[in-house]
Amino acid sequence: MGHLLSKEASSLSRDRRCRRGRKVPPRSRSCFLRGPCMLCFIVHSASPPAPEQPLPAGDPLLPPPPYAALATAEQRAARRLLRLPPAAWEPRGRCQRLLLSGLLPSPVRGLLGPARLPGEVASEMVCKRKGAGLPACPPCKQPRCAAAAAAEPEAAACQCPGEAQLCALPAADGCAAGGGGAPARGAAGESGGGVQPASPPCPAPEEEEEGKKEKERGGEAGCEEPLEQPGACCREPLPPPAPDINQLPPSILLKIFSNLSLNERCLSASLVCKYWRDLCLDFQFWKQLDLSSRQQVTDELLEKIASRSQNITEINISDCRNVSDTGVCILAIKCPGLLRYTAYRCKQLSDTSIIAVASQCPLLQKVHVGNQDRLTDEGLKQLGSKCRELKDIHFGQCYKISDEGMIIIAKGCLKLQRIYMQENKLVTDQSVKAFAEHCPELQYVGFMGCSVTSKGVIHLTNLRNLSSLDLRHITELDNETVMEIVKRCKNLNSLNLCLNWIINDRCVEVIAKEGRNLKELYLVSCKITDYALIAIGRYSMTIETVDVGWCKEITDHGATQIAQSSKSLRYLGLMRCDQVNETTVEQLVQQYPHITFSTVLQDCKRTLERAYQMGWTPNMSTAS
């Protein structure tokens, strides 16, 4: 039988026919049963046969099993087929023809059953396709063992009406091993007149106890609803989907991106994905552009930016050395809604750029063009005549600007609130007088290092809204003018008198008494002594910041008195006050922790503390 059913059988017959001179068409090396023949698997398998299980005791009500008389090795090999599903050993193809012709041995024919015609279908054969020929019904839960089936017959039987009962092959095991298997049933034909199925053998006492324990553990399992899919209970639950930031609404993502700088948006966020790139190109991010200190910014780049986003309201091109008047003119033409224009230290720009901005952008409110040597009064005349909404101007270190251009701006821009001039030697008292007379809304005025005297500064007393005044390095400034300004400008909260050697202790005392809203007072390199500090601590209830650096007459006594007497002081600058001992400063730091004392040593300590907080560690290596 092994020779007949093995793979070598067909090869031997082929060799004999080849010897006779016949040409045999090539055949595949598979078994003649045209499938994974289990007989070949048994014959060729290298694994030892499974140990035989004891058979159940005979029952007079059951017919004798078909394997009762098998004793030889060939018969035992055939018996193993009984442990497989019917589809694996059902005769088909050539094996069916061998069965009909009687070539198979009798024990195998007895196992495969009586010969049937090709068109005849056995009643016990069931289609293995999913749901074929069966009514739709959720699977019923089967008991874990025979004891559970006997205790709960209603749970073990399917409650679906009209469902065909499947006949299982006889098995040697009474209860499936490995938790959750269904018990074996006896074979019974449905067409044979209602033969009762064989009862499973009684389980051992140990198995019965295990079944009861499992039943108690899963007592609530029987009350669960049947699953929609039979294998759903064996599947692991799918993990929850990972959160995706792109699921947020675009408005929230735009709000998040608004906290990024231009470099972070253009060089980092826009490279993540196309969606983020489109968000980074949103028009709201291109309204305010800070292109300062970028040498790659050229006229062509400005033209592309202006062509793509024509709603730019603020741009900063400070220190962009590769931008010329042509690029600024194109920007002004394509962005007529420009409101704030900043171009510090662009020495290559001339009046052409400022004239284009003034002509094409009538809504301009801020112009900061400090340190442009080529800027003259011609550009200022255009600003004063065409930009009526101008509120903030900065022309510091533009050395060619004179009173002519400044007076035109003062007369044309009546809404000015901030003006800052620095080292403009051609600007005199006439400009100060013009601004004081024509711009009543001025709040910040700075004429640092200009050719201004007390005769021009005294006109600033007409500015009732003046809040910040910068009079640094005014050579001809007297104490009476300063005291008069403090008395009449009630809203003044910041006064800078640095580098004025004329300011003395009496002027500081009047400032402390009359400055009811004054919070910042800068007296660096002034001719003051400890009396000035004592007066500030005694008379002022509002001053929070006092800087008396480089005042050589300040000693430990003045620093201690102002720290003890002032209730509002938060910062005291003592930089390069040589008569102030560092030990005294250390004691003041301990006694008044709410006050920041500024000296060379204290500033170094604070710098190191901030560095340590940011993760900096000193290099302990001895290598130079």
Side-chain angles (χ1 to χ4, degrees):
M1 175 180 174
H3 173 73
L4 178 62
L5 299 180
S6 63
K7 295 182 179 180
E8 287 78 1
S10 58
S11 61
L12 293 176
S13 60
R14 187 180 305 173
D15 296 340
R16 295 172 183 171
R17 278 178 271 180
C18 292
R19 294 173 184 174
R20 299 175 184 174
R22 299 179 183 177
K23 292 184 179 181
V24 181
R27 291 185 181 181
S28 62
R29 300 282 301 172
S30 61
C31 179
F32 68 92
L33 294 179
R34 300 180 183 179
C37 178
M38 294 308 299
L39 289 178
C40 293
F41 175 79
I42 294 171
V43 172
H44 297 284
S45 177
S47 60
E52 299 181 4
Q53 301 292 336
L55 299 178
D59 194 337
L61 298 178
L62 292 175
Y67 52 81
L70 299 180
T72 64
E74 188 180 53
Q75 293 171 347
R76 286 195 303 271
R79 186 193 311 168
R80 296 189 185 98
L81 291 174
L82 300 177
R83 301 175 185 174
L84 303 173
W89 53 273
E90 188 69 30
R92 57 182 181 272
R94 187 170 180 178
C95 183
Q96 177 71 20
R97 294 196 296 271
L98 292 174
L99 179 61
L100 294 174
S101 61
L103 295 178
L104 291 178
S106 57
V108 179
R109 288 201 308 271
L111 291 174
L112 297 179
R116 296 187 298 270
L117 296 177
E120 184 179 356
V121 180
S123 59
E124 66 271 15
M125 293 179 62
V126 179
C127 181
K128 295 300 178 181
R129 294 182 181 177
K130 184 177 180 180
L134 299 176
C137 176
C140 297
K141 189 169 184 180
Q142 300 295 334
R144 296 181 180 271
C145 59
E152 297 180 4
E154 296 179 359
C158 181
Q159 303 297 331
C160 303
E163 182 180 357
Q165 299 292 334
L166 301 180
C167 299
L169 291 175
D173 297 338
C175 182
R185 300 180 183 178
E190 293 181 358
S191 60
V195 179
Q196 295 292 334
S199 60
C202 297
E206 297 178 358
E207 297 179 356
E208 185 175 0
E209 292 179 0
E210 292 179 0
K212 290 181 179 180
K213 291 180 181 179
E214 292 180 2
K215 178 181 176 183
E216 292 176 358
R217 295 193 198 103
E220 298 178 1
C223 302
E224 296 177 356
E225 296 180 358
L227 299 174
E228 295 181 359
Q229 298 181 0
C233 60
C234 301
R235 298 177 182 174
E236 295 182 357
L238 296 177
D244 189 1
I245 191 175
N246 289 340
Q247 295 177 356
L248 295 174
S251 59
I252 297 180
L253 289 176
L254 292 175
K255 183 64 176 178
I256 295 174
F257 290 166
S258 65
N259 298 319
L260 303 178
S261 63
L262 181 64
N263 280 346
E264 293 171 340
R265 283 198 303 269
C266 295
L267 302 180
S268 299
S270 62
L271 303 180
V272 173
C273 60
K274 292 182 179 180
Y275 180 51
W276 283 27
R277 182 195 63 184
D278 296 339
L279 290 177
C280 291
L281 292 177
D282 190 79
F283 71 94
Q284 72 176 17
F285 296 137
W286 298 92
K287 286 185 176 181
Q288 302 175 356
L289 295 180
D290 185 5
L291 304 176
S292 59
S293 303
R294 290 178 172 85
Q295 302 307 319
Q296 63 269 28
V297 178
T298 60
D299 295 341
E300 292 77 11
L301 181 60
L302 277 182
E303 182 179 0
K304 291 179 180 180
I305 293 176
S307 301
R308 183 177 184 86
S309 178
Q310 299 182 4
N311 59 342
I312 297 176
T313 60
E314 180 178 357
I315 189 168
N316 185 353
I317 56 173
S318 301
D319 299 302
C320 294
R321 306 297 175 84
N322 296 324
V323 176
S324 65
D325 291 333
T326 304
V328 177
C329 293
I330 296 175
L331 176 69
I333 293 173
K334 295 192 175 183
C335 301
L338 189 65
L339 300 178
R340 290 173 286 276
Y341 172 67
T342 305
Y344 290 116
R345 295 171 293 277
C346 294
K347 297 180 179 295
Q348 73 277 8
L349 300 181
S350 63
D351 289 333
T352 304
S353 60
I354 198 69
I355 291 174
V357 172
S359 303
Q360 302 296 330
C361 307
L363 301 179
L364 203 62
Q365 298 179 2
K366 173 183 174 181
V367 176
H368 284 196
V369 288
N371 201 359
Q372 290 190 13
D373 299 337
R374 301 175 62 185
L375 187 62
T376 64
D377 292 334
E378 296 299 326
L380 270 64
K381 291 178 182 179
Q382 294 294 325
L383 284 174
S385 60
K386 296 183 179 180
C387 299
R388 301 293 182 177
E389 301 295 328
L390 201 59
K391 297 180 180 180
D392 187 0
I393 59 175
H394 187 302
F395 298 122
Q397 296 180 337
C398 295
Y399 302 113
K400 294 183 179 181
I401 291 178
S402 65
D403 291 334
E404 182 181 0
M406 297 298 292
I407 292 174
I408 293 177
I409 288 181
K411 293 181 178 180
C413 305
L414 305 180
K415 297 182 180 180
L416 270 178
Q417 297 178 0
R418 295 174 59 91
I419 178 174
Y420 182 77
M421 309 297 292
Q422 179 180 352
E423 304 294 336
N424 301 93
K425 299 301 182 179
L426 301 179
V427 176
T428 63
D429 293 336
Q430 295 181 9
S431 299
V432 180
K433 182 180 178 181
F435 282 110
E437 292 178 353
H438 299 285
C439 302
E441 297 183 8
L442 274 174
Q443 299 177 6
Y444 180 91
V445 176
F447 287 96
M448 175 185 175
C450 298
S451 301
V452 178
T453 65
S454 297
K455 295 179 181 180
V457 174
I458 195 64
H459 293 284
L460 298 178
T461 56
N462 298 326
L463 302 176
R464 302 303 179 186
N465 297 325
L466 187 63
S467 61
S468 180
L469 180 60
D470 188 356
L471 297 177
R472 286 177 292 175
H473 200 203
I474 304 297
T475 56
E476 298 184 10
L477 181 65
D478 53 31
N479 293 289
E480 287 73 14
T481 302
V482 175
M483 291 186 289
E484 189 66 22
I485 291 175
V486 174
K487 291 178 181 178
R488 300 181 64 177
C489 298
K490 300 298 183 181
N491 294 324
L492 191 65
N493 56 38
S494 178
L495 179 61
N496 196 331
L497 300 174
C498 298
L499 303 175
N500 288 312
W501 289 94
I502 303 178
I503 303 300
N504 53 24
D505 294 339
R506 178 174 171 270
C507 180
V508 175
E509 182 180 359
V510 173
I511 292 173
K513 292 180 179 179
E514 299 296 336
R516 301 300 181 184
N517 295 317
L518 193 64
K519 294 183 178 180
E520 299 176 0
L521 181 59
Y522 300 95
L523 302 170
V524 177
S525 297
C526 293
K527 193 178 180 179
I528 60 175
T529 63
D530 292 338
Y531 182 80
L533 294 182
I534 295 173
I536 294 173
R538 181 180 300 175
Y539 298 113
S540 177
M541 302 297 295
T542 59
I543 295 179
E544 299 178 356
T545 300
V546 177
D547 193 351
V548 292
W550 295 85
C551 296
K552 303 301 182 179
E553 302 297 328
I554 301 296
T555 64
D556 295 342
H557 178 67
T560 304
Q561 289 297 319
I562 189 176
Q564 291 177 353
S565 58
S566 178
K567 304 299 181 182
S568 59
L569 187 64
R570 295 295 178 269
Y571 177 87
L572 179 59
L574 299 172
M575 186 70 66
R576 294 306 302 270
C577 294
D578 297 336
Q579 297 189 36
V580 177
N581 193 352
E582 194 63 39
T583 305
T584 304
V585 176
E586 288 288 347
Q587 295 176 358
L588 294 176
V589 170
Q590 299 296 328
Q591 295 176 5
Y592 307 99
H594 63 282
I595 301 176
T596 300
F597 296 89
S598 176
T599 61
V600 175
L601 184 58
Q602 295 298 322
D603 289 353
C604 291
K605 287 183 179 180
R606 281 189 290 269
T607 303
L608 284 176
E609 289 178 1
R610 288 193 294 268
Y612 284 130
Q613 292 175 359
M614 297 174 62
W616 176 82
T617 55
N619 187 5
M620 304 304 294
S621 62
T622 58
S624 58

